[in-house]
Amino acid sequence: MKRWLLGIFCVVSGSVFGADRPNVLLILVDDLGFSDLGCYGGEIATPNLDKLAAEGTRFTQFYNCAVCVTTRSAILTGLHPRQKGGPRLGKNKITLGEAMKAAGYETALTGKWHLGNSAPNRPIDRGFGDFYGLLDGCCNFFNPAKPDPVFYNGGRQRTFTHNGKPVTEFPEGYYTTDAFSEYTVGLIERFSKTEQPFFLHLCYTAPHFPMHAFEEDIAKYRGKYSEGYHALREARHRRQTEMGLFETPPKLSPEDPKSSDFRYDYDVPDWENLPEAEQKIEEARMEVYAAMVDRLDQGIGQVLDALQENGVEKNTVVMFLSDNGGCASWPTAKKEPGFRDYNEGIPVGDERGYEFCGKGWGWAQNAPFRQFKTWCHEGGIATPMIVRWPGVTEAGAITHQPGHIIDVMPTLLELAGSEYPAEISGKPILPVEGKSLLPIFRGETREPHDTLAWELYGNRAIRQRDWKAIWNQGTEKWELYNLKTDRTETENLASKHPDRLAAMARDWEKWEERVSANAVE
């Protein structure tokens, strides 16, 4: 055991751990759009996650941190991301793995880590007793040992390990989504035989690029996306309204035209004027994306079945969410020729290629919201969130209470009958910034955060109750929206409420100063 962890036990050892403490399965997927799942209005076949939603509670106002790495640091620490001056998981922070291990849980993380490739910042260094997966941000789904294309990342070799040992060979038919599901099934079988409760953090790399899928899954979606991006958004918005997903059905936001030189500021392609050949490639990109989500749901179904088959389903809290909104990332103008040369003659989805879902679909996947991954509009930071706790969460419920991934740490500690420590081995750590979600799980009203705030690549946002202020990189001026009446941020109220906006802007500056000041351990 790490010496610096010993102090945690001194803090929590006074708690009497009951034998009926629930297991926790925390599923985090990668770059899933808000409206991709059937239970959030999507057309993709996701029967297992739809069933989970029917047996549990869906959130409509749950937030992440707009991109992979910031979300992962926040969900693991209960803290807003510290992005300046030090490691994301410094010794002035405790992780979920460390906290749940100290509370007497078996701990394991499977899949994507993205918070450090070497000691002391690997999962096995930070409280997870078992790790199988990718220490980096993305890899080839069929062969993680294959280097990135030179056009994308200079031919970078990704790091895949099993409990500290490199994994460099992968068998024929290997696919990361399947492997992560199967490995987690094995963990459930193993841990269900022990007397300790378990905490499993299952972090899929899907449906993050590169676009890789099995032909049998792609075939289900051939021809389904021939009407383009706007038609997809309109259909999803219509289904969301019909199922009563939102308390008040919001307007469907229009596309945001490119207005700056910000790296992730794109125009949505004009579908009707795309050459037929380009339309077919675009269709194929979304077909493969849908296949990746379909396969993801299949794997989650296997994991959920394993809970039932091993007799632990009724005492396991399952939480499902995404690390950011749908991804519209696209090669820069300088890299685009290399991208097209690399993929020439290779069908989208083939393991030899390296494709992206692209500017139009990455936007459409977040219906009804504006923008996508990396932006602080709702399309970048709002995630589908499903929670099932048999006997506690109301089956088929929808909650419109806001929540944030920093709330996961205090929630899990309360489930574990434990407390967040003030120090580790005599050294103070940053106080947790989240609030327990258990009142919402129980169907009660939780006092919301007074303030939630975001910053990423110069994009900014701050939410105070129903009001949200946004500052976009490139345009660099504050906008103001009332999310109760305008969840899709279509009516800028900055000129009508200048004093409120000025006060919120000042509060964002104070927040940013605070999280920057204690970024260094």
Side-chain angles (χ1 to χ4, degrees), residues 5-34:
L5 267 175
L6 293 174
I8 301 175
F9 288 92
C10 299
V11 177
V12 300
S13 60
S15 301
V16 178
F17 298 141
D20 58 349
R21 291 182 298 156
N23 307 303
V24 178
L25 170 61
L26 176 60
I27 304 172
L28 183 66
V29 298
D30 203 352
D31 289 5
L32 185 80
F34 182 83

PDB file of all heavy atoms in Angstrom, residues 5-34:
ATOM      1  N   LEU A   5      -1.155   6.938   1.271  1.00  0.00           N
ATOM      2  CA  LEU A   5      -2.572   6.615   1.402  1.00  0.00           C
ATOM      3  C   LEU A   5      -2.971   6.244   2.833  1.00  0.00           C
ATOM      4  O   LEU A   5      -4.143   6.232   3.171  1.00  0.00           O
ATOM      5  CB  LEU A   5      -2.913   5.422   0.505  1.00  0.00           C
ATOM      6  CG  LEU A   5      -3.424   5.727  -0.902  1.00  0.00           C
ATOM      7  CD1 LEU A   5      -3.584   4.431  -1.677  1.00  0.00           C
ATOM      8  CD2 LEU A   5      -4.731   6.475  -0.859  1.00  0.00           C
ATOM      9  N   LEU A   6      -1.990   5.930   3.672  1.00  0.00           N
ATOM     10  CA  LEU A   6      -2.309   5.441   5.012  1.00  0.00           C
ATOM     11  C   LEU A   6      -3.176   6.408   5.798  1.00  0.00           C
ATOM     12  O   LEU A   6      -4.033   6.018   6.569  1.00  0.00           O
ATOM     13  CB  LEU A   6      -1.019   5.145   5.786  1.00  0.00           C
ATOM     14  CG  LEU A   6      -0.176   3.973   5.248  1.00  0.00           C
ATOM     15  CD1 LEU A   6       1.130   3.892   6.021  1.00  0.00           C
ATOM     16  CD2 LEU A   6      -0.944   2.677   5.340  1.00  0.00           C
ATOM     17  N   GLY A   7      -2.954   7.705   5.575  1.00  0.00           N
ATOM     18  CA  GLY A   7      -3.707   8.701   6.314  1.00  0.00           C
ATOM     19  C   GLY A   7      -5.191   8.661   6.049  1.00  0.00           C
ATOM     20  O   GLY A   7      -6.001   9.094   6.866  1.00  0.00           O
ATOM     21  N   ILE A   8      -5.588   8.148   4.907  1.00  0.00           N
ATOM     22  CA  ILE A   8      -7.013   8.093   4.590  1.00  0.00           C
ATOM     23  C   ILE A   8      -7.739   7.204   5.580  1.00  0.00           C
ATOM     24  O   ILE A   8      -8.829   7.512   6.043  1.00  0.00           O
ATOM     25  CB  ILE A   8      -7.227   7.556   3.162  1.00  0.00           C
ATOM     26  CG1 ILE A   8      -6.524   8.455   2.155  1.00  0.00           C
ATOM     27  CG2 ILE A   8      -8.707   7.437   2.843  1.00  0.00           C
ATOM     28  CD1 ILE A   8      -6.595   7.924   0.746  1.00  0.00           C
ATOM     29  N   PHE A   9      -7.120   6.078   5.946  1.00  0.00           N
ATOM     30  CA  PHE A   9      -7.786   5.139   6.824  1.00  0.00           C
ATOM     31  C   PHE A   9      -8.018   5.729   8.201  1.00  0.00           C
ATOM     32  O   PHE A   9      -8.997   5.419   8.861  1.00  0.00           O
ATOM     33  CB  PHE A   9      -6.968   3.853   6.926  1.00  0.00           C
ATOM     34  CG  PHE A   9      -7.015   3.041   5.674  1.00  0.00           C
ATOM     35  CD1 PHE A   9      -6.056   3.214   4.690  1.00  0.00           C
ATOM     36  CD2 PHE A   9      -8.038   2.137   5.445  1.00  0.00           C
ATOM     37  CE1 PHE A   9      -6.104   2.493   3.525  1.00  0.00           C
ATOM     38  CE2 PHE A   9      -8.092   1.402   4.272  1.00  0.00           C
ATOM     39  CZ  PHE A   9      -7.125   1.577   3.308  1.00  0.00           C
ATOM     40  N   CYS A  10      -7.143   6.628   8.599  1.00  0.00           N
ATOM     41  CA  CYS A  10      -7.336   7.282   9.885  1.00  0.00           C
ATOM     42  C   CYS A  10      -8.589   8.138   9.880  1.00  0.00           C
ATOM     43  O   CYS A  10      -9.264   8.278  10.889  1.00  0.00           O
ATOM     44  CB  CYS A  10      -6.123   8.146  10.221  1.00  0.00           C
ATOM     45  SG  CYS A  10      -4.579   7.214  10.362  1.00  0.00           S
ATOM     46  N   VAL A  11      -8.903   8.707   8.731  1.00  0.00           N
ATOM     47  CA  VAL A  11     -10.064   9.581   8.629  1.00  0.00           C
ATOM     48  C   VAL A  11     -11.358   8.792   8.613  1.00  0.00           C
ATOM     49  O   VAL A  11     -12.335   9.139   9.245  1.00  0.00           O
ATOM     50  CB  VAL A  11      -9.960  10.453   7.361  1.00  0.00           C
ATOM     51  CG1 VAL A  11     -11.207  11.314   7.198  1.00  0.00           C
ATOM     52  CG2 VAL A  11      -8.734  11.349   7.435  1.00  0.00           C
ATOM     53  N   VAL A  12     -11.377   7.671   7.848  1.00  0.00           N
ATOM     54  CA  VAL A  12     -12.639   6.972   7.640  1.00  0.00           C
ATOM     55  C   VAL A  12     -12.820   5.762   8.545  1.00  0.00           C
ATOM     56  O   VAL A  12     -13.880   5.162   8.556  1.00  0.00           O
ATOM     57  CB  VAL A  12     -12.763   6.503   6.171  1.00  0.00           C
ATOM     58  CG1 VAL A  12     -12.704   7.683   5.240  1.00  0.00           C
ATOM     59  CG2 VAL A  12     -11.710   5.473   5.808  1.00  0.00           C
ATOM     60  N   SER A  13     -11.780   5.389   9.324  1.00  0.00           N
ATOM     61  CA  SER A  13     -11.865   4.158  10.088  1.00  0.00           C
ATOM     62  C   SER A  13     -12.925   4.217  11.168  1.00  0.00           C
ATOM     63  O   SER A  13     -13.373   3.192  11.662  1.00  0.00           O
ATOM     64  CB  SER A  13     -10.498   3.831  10.709  1.00  0.00           C
ATOM     65  OG  SER A  13     -10.095   4.883  11.577  1.00  0.00           O
ATOM     66  N   GLY A  14     -13.374   5.433  11.517  1.00  0.00           N
ATOM     67  CA  GLY A  14     -14.417   5.538  12.525  1.00  0.00           C
ATOM     68  C   GLY A  14     -15.773   5.121  12.020  1.00  0.00           C
ATOM     69  O   GLY A  14     -16.682   4.855  12.790  1.00  0.00           O
ATOM     70  N   SER A  15     -15.961   5.055  10.709  1.00  0.00           N
ATOM     71  CA  SER A  15     -17.236   4.648  10.148  1.00  0.00           C
ATOM     72  C   SER A  15     -17.404   3.146  10.284  1.00  0.00           C
ATOM     73  O   SER A  15     -16.465   2.376  10.129  1.00  0.00           O
ATOM     74  CB  SER A  15     -17.313   5.030   8.666  1.00  0.00           C
ATOM     75  OG  SER A  15     -17.164   6.414   8.515  1.00  0.00           O
ATOM     76  N   VAL A  16     -18.617   2.718  10.585  1.00  0.00           N
ATOM     77  CA  VAL A  16     -18.927   1.301  10.634  1.00  0.00           C
ATOM     78  C   VAL A  16     -19.506   0.916   9.285  1.00  0.00           C
ATOM     79  O   VAL A  16     -20.596   1.342   8.917  1.00  0.00           O
ATOM     80  CB  VAL A  16     -19.932   0.984  11.757  1.00  0.00           C
ATOM     81  CG1 VAL A  16     -20.269  -0.497  11.760  1.00  0.00           C
ATOM     82  CG2 VAL A  16     -19.372   1.397  13.108  1.00  0.00           C
ATOM     83  N   PHE A  17     -18.776   0.124   8.519  1.00  0.00           N
ATOM     84  CA  PHE A  17     -19.213  -0.225   7.175  1.00  0.00           C
ATOM     85  C   PHE A  17     -20.239  -1.338   7.257  1.00  0.00           C
ATOM     86  O   PHE A  17     -19.954  -2.430   7.737  1.00  0.00           O
ATOM     87  CB  PHE A  17     -18.027  -0.686   6.325  1.00  0.00           C
ATOM     88  CG  PHE A  17     -16.984   0.383   6.131  1.00  0.00           C
ATOM     89  CD1 PHE A  17     -15.642   0.065   6.145  1.00  0.00           C
ATOM     90  CD2 PHE A  17     -17.355   1.703   5.934  1.00  0.00           C
ATOM     91  CE1 PHE A  17     -14.681   1.048   5.949  1.00  0.00           C
ATOM     92  CE2 PHE A  17     -16.397   2.697   5.733  1.00  0.00           C
ATOM     93  CZ  PHE A  17     -15.064   2.360   5.748  1.00  0.00           C
ATOM     94  N   GLY A  18     -21.434  -1.070   6.777  1.00  0.00           N
ATOM     95  CA  GLY A  18     -22.473  -2.077   6.791  1.00  0.00           C
ATOM     96  C   GLY A  18     -22.245  -3.113   5.707  1.00  0.00           C
ATOM     97  O   GLY A  18     -21.621  -2.864   4.693  1.00  0.00           O
ATOM     98  N   ALA A  19     -22.791  -4.322   5.935  1.00  0.00           N
ATOM     99  CA  ALA A  19     -22.603  -5.416   4.997  1.00  0.00           C
ATOM    100  C   ALA A  19     -23.398  -5.217   3.721  1.00  0.00           C
ATOM    101  O   ALA A  19     -23.140  -5.870   2.715  1.00  0.00           O
ATOM    102  CB  ALA A  19     -22.993  -6.729   5.659  1.00  0.00           C
ATOM    103  N   ASP A  20     -24.395  -4.326   3.762  1.00  0.00           N
ATOM    104  CA  ASP A  20     -25.258  -4.163   2.604  1.00  0.00           C
ATOM    105  C   ASP A  20     -24.887  -2.956   1.760  1.00  0.00           C
ATOM    106  O   ASP A  20     -25.682  -2.491   0.949  1.00  0.00           O
ATOM    107  CB  ASP A  20     -26.716  -4.035   3.047  1.00  0.00           C
ATOM    108  CG  ASP A  20     -26.945  -2.858   3.996  1.00  0.00           C
ATOM    109  OD1 ASP A  20     -25.941  -2.289   4.462  1.00  0.00           O
ATOM    110  OD2 ASP A  20     -28.113  -2.531   4.263  1.00  0.00           O
ATOM    111  N   ARG A  21     -23.693  -2.435   1.932  1.00  0.00           N
ATOM    112  CA  ARG A  21     -23.285  -1.309   1.093  1.00  0.00           C
ATOM    113  C   ARG A  21     -23.306  -1.737  -0.366  1.00  0.00           C
ATOM    114  O   ARG A  21     -22.844  -2.824  -0.709  1.00  0.00           O
ATOM    115  CB  ARG A  21     -21.881  -0.838   1.484  1.00  0.00           C
ATOM    116  CG  ARG A  21     -21.820  -0.171   2.851  1.00  0.00           C
ATOM    117  CD  ARG A  21     -20.421   0.320   3.145  1.00  0.00           C
ATOM    118  NE  ARG A  21     -19.473  -0.788   3.197  1.00  0.00           N
ATOM    119  CZ  ARG A  21     -18.164  -0.672   2.990  1.00  0.00           C
ATOM    120  NH1 ARG A  21     -17.654   0.506   2.697  1.00  0.00           N
ATOM    121  NH2 ARG A  21     -17.376  -1.717   3.074  1.00  0.00           N
ATOM    122  N   PRO A  22     -23.844  -0.901  -1.244  1.00  0.00           N
ATOM    123  CA  PRO A  22     -23.989  -1.330  -2.635  1.00  0.00           C
ATOM    124  C   PRO A  22     -22.670  -1.345  -3.391  1.00  0.00           C
ATOM    125  O   PRO A  22     -21.742  -0.590  -3.089  1.00  0.00           O
ATOM    126  CB  PRO A  22     -24.932  -0.284  -3.219  1.00  0.00           C
ATOM    127  CG  PRO A  22     -24.662   0.950  -2.418  1.00  0.00           C
ATOM    128  CD  PRO A  22     -24.405   0.451  -1.016  1.00  0.00           C
ATOM    129  N   ASN A  23     -22.610  -2.219  -4.376  1.00  0.00           N
ATOM    130  CA  ASN A  23     -21.540  -2.151  -5.370  1.00  0.00           C
ATOM    131  C   ASN A  23     -21.820  -0.955  -6.272  1.00  0.00           C
ATOM    132  O   ASN A  23     -22.950  -0.453  -6.339  1.00  0.00           O
ATOM    133  CB  ASN A  23     -21.516  -3.423  -6.215  1.00  0.00           C
ATOM    134  CG  ASN A  23     -21.463  -4.672  -5.375  1.00  0.00           C
ATOM    135  OD1 ASN A  23     -20.557  -4.852  -4.572  1.00  0.00           O
ATOM    136  ND2 ASN A  23     -22.445  -5.559  -5.569  1.00  0.00           N
ATOM    137  N   VAL A  24     -20.796  -0.519  -6.985  1.00  0.00           N
ATOM    138  CA  VAL A  24     -20.956   0.596  -7.921  1.00  0.00           C
ATOM    139  C   VAL A  24     -20.315   0.239  -9.252  1.00  0.00           C
ATOM    140  O   VAL A  24     -19.150  -0.179  -9.303  1.00  0.00           O
ATOM    141  CB  VAL A  24     -20.319   1.892  -7.379  1.00  0.00           C
ATOM    142  CG1 VAL A  24     -20.454   3.014  -8.408  1.00  0.00           C
ATOM    143  CG2 VAL A  24     -20.944   2.303  -6.052  1.00  0.00           C
ATOM    144  N   LEU A  25     -21.085   0.386 -10.321  1.00  0.00           N
ATOM    145  CA  LEU A  25     -20.575   0.264 -11.676  1.00  0.00           C
ATOM    146  C   LEU A  25     -20.753   1.614 -12.343  1.00  0.00           C
ATOM    147  O   LEU A  25     -21.873   2.053 -12.606  1.00  0.00           O
ATOM    148  CB  LEU A  25     -21.348  -0.816 -12.447  1.00  0.00           C
ATOM    149  CG  LEU A  25     -21.088  -0.911 -13.955  1.00  0.00           C
ATOM    150  CD1 LEU A  25     -19.614  -1.231 -14.245  1.00  0.00           C
ATOM    151  CD2 LEU A  25     -21.992  -1.964 -14.602  1.00  0.00           C
ATOM    152  N   LEU A  26     -19.652   2.305 -12.597  1.00  0.00           N
ATOM    153  CA  LEU A  26     -19.649   3.637 -13.193  1.00  0.00           C
ATOM    154  C   LEU A  26     -19.142   3.517 -14.625  1.00  0.00           C
ATOM    155  O   LEU A  26     -17.964   3.250 -14.865  1.00  0.00           O
ATOM    156  CB  LEU A  26     -18.752   4.577 -12.377  1.00  0.00           C
ATOM    157  CG  LEU A  26     -18.545   5.998 -12.902  1.00  0.00           C
ATOM    158  CD1 LEU A  26     -19.864   6.749 -13.008  1.00  0.00           C
ATOM    159  CD2 LEU A  26     -17.562   6.756 -12.006  1.00  0.00           C
ATOM    160  N   ILE A  27     -20.049   3.701 -15.593  1.00  0.00           N
ATOM    161  CA  ILE A  27     -19.722   3.539 -17.009  1.00  0.00           C
ATOM    162  C   ILE A  27     -19.563   4.916 -17.648  1.00  0.00           C
ATOM    163  O   ILE A  27     -20.482   5.732 -17.620  1.00  0.00           O
ATOM    164  CB  ILE A  27     -20.817   2.757 -17.751  1.00  0.00           C
ATOM    165  CG1 ILE A  27     -21.066   1.394 -17.094  1.00  0.00           C
ATOM    166  CG2 ILE A  27     -20.430   2.574 -19.222  1.00  0.00           C
ATOM    167  CD1 ILE A  27     -22.263   0.649 -17.662  1.00  0.00           C
ATOM    168  N   LEU A  28     -18.395   5.152 -18.215  1.00  0.00           N
ATOM    169  CA  LEU A  28     -18.114   6.410 -18.903  1.00  0.00           C
ATOM    170  C   LEU A  28     -17.772   6.099 -20.352  1.00  0.00           C
ATOM    171  O   LEU A  28     -16.831   5.347 -20.624  1.00  0.00           O
ATOM    172  CB  LEU A  28     -16.939   7.127 -18.229  1.00  0.00           C
ATOM    173  CG  LEU A  28     -16.547   8.496 -18.787  1.00  0.00           C
ATOM    174  CD1 LEU A  28     -17.647   9.525 -18.565  1.00  0.00           C
ATOM    175  CD2 LEU A  28     -15.244   8.981 -18.146  1.00  0.00           C
ATOM    176  N   VAL A  29     -18.545   6.653 -21.275  1.00  0.00           N
ATOM    177  CA  VAL A  29     -18.267   6.437 -22.700  1.00  0.00           C
ATOM    178  C   VAL A  29     -17.639   7.693 -23.283  1.00  0.00           C
ATOM    179  O   VAL A  29     -17.590   8.739 -22.638  1.00  0.00           O
ATOM    180  CB  VAL A  29     -19.533   6.012 -23.465  1.00  0.00           C
ATOM    181  CG1 VAL A  29     -20.049   4.694 -22.923  1.00  0.00           C
ATOM    182  CG2 VAL A  29     -20.609   7.075 -23.408  1.00  0.00           C
ATOM    183  N   ASP A  30     -17.173   7.588 -24.526  1.00  0.00           N
ATOM    184  CA  ASP A  30     -16.261   8.581 -25.075  1.00  0.00           C
ATOM    185  C   ASP A  30     -16.851   9.256 -26.316  1.00  0.00           C
ATOM    186  O   ASP A  30     -17.006   8.606 -27.362  1.00  0.00           O
ATOM    187  CB  ASP A  30     -14.946   7.871 -25.433  1.00  0.00           C
ATOM    188  CG  ASP A  30     -13.759   8.802 -25.490  1.00  0.00           C
ATOM    189  OD1 ASP A  30     -13.953  10.022 -25.404  1.00  0.00           O
ATOM    190  OD2 ASP A  30     -12.629   8.303 -25.629  1.00  0.00           O
ATOM    191  N   ASP A  31     -17.190  10.529 -26.202  1.00  0.00           N
ATOM    192  CA  ASP A  31     -17.676  11.328 -27.334  1.00  0.00           C
ATOM    193  C   ASP A  31     -19.085  10.958 -27.793  1.00  0.00           C
ATOM    194  O   ASP A  31     -19.451  11.167 -28.952  1.00  0.00           O
ATOM    195  CB  ASP A  31     -16.738  11.222 -28.549  1.00  0.00           C
ATOM    196  CG  ASP A  31     -15.410  11.943 -28.345  1.00  0.00           C
ATOM    197  OD1 ASP A  31     -15.176  12.451 -27.238  1.00  0.00           O
ATOM    198  OD2 ASP A  31     -14.614  11.989 -29.291  1.00  0.00           O
ATOM    199  N   LEU A  32     -19.911  10.441 -26.906  1.00  0.00           N
ATOM    200  CA  LEU A  32     -21.295  10.124 -27.248  1.00  0.00           C
ATOM    201  C   LEU A  32     -22.121  11.395 -27.272  1.00  0.00           C
ATOM    202  O   LEU A  32     -22.054  12.215 -26.357  1.00  0.00           O
ATOM    203  CB  LEU A  32     -21.882   9.154 -26.230  1.00  0.00           C
ATOM    204  CG  LEU A  32     -23.297   8.647 -26.523  1.00  0.00           C
ATOM    205  CD1 LEU A  32     -23.239   7.525 -27.565  1.00  0.00           C
ATOM    206  CD2 LEU A  32     -23.968   8.149 -25.249  1.00  0.00           C
ATOM    207  N   GLY A  33     -22.928  11.577 -28.324  1.00  0.00           N
ATOM    208  CA  GLY A  33     -23.790  12.740 -28.407  1.00  0.00           C
ATOM    209  C   GLY A  33     -24.976  12.650 -27.453  1.00  0.00           C
ATOM    210  O   GLY A  33     -25.403  11.560 -27.070  1.00  0.00           O
ATOM    211  N   PHE A  34     -25.532  13.807 -27.109  1.00  0.00           N
ATOM    212  CA  PHE A  34     -26.639  13.849 -26.149  1.00  0.00           C
ATOM    213  C   PHE A  34     -27.831  13.035 -26.627  1.00  0.00           C
ATOM    214  O   PHE A  34     -28.516  12.393 -25.820  1.00  0.00           O
ATOM    215  CB  PHE A  34     -27.069  15.302 -25.908  1.00  0.00           C
ATOM    216  CG  PHE A  34     -28.166  15.434 -24.893  1.00  0.00           C
ATOM    217  CD1 PHE A  34     -27.881  15.458 -23.528  1.00  0.00           C
ATOM    218  CD2 PHE A  34     -29.488  15.527 -25.290  1.00  0.00           C
ATOM    219  CE1 PHE A  34     -28.899  15.570 -22.584  1.00  0.00           C
ATOM    220  CE2 PHE A  34     -30.520  15.639 -24.356  1.00  0.00           C
ATOM    221  CZ  PHE A  34     -30.217  15.661 -23.001  1.00  0.00           C
TER     222      PHE A  34
END
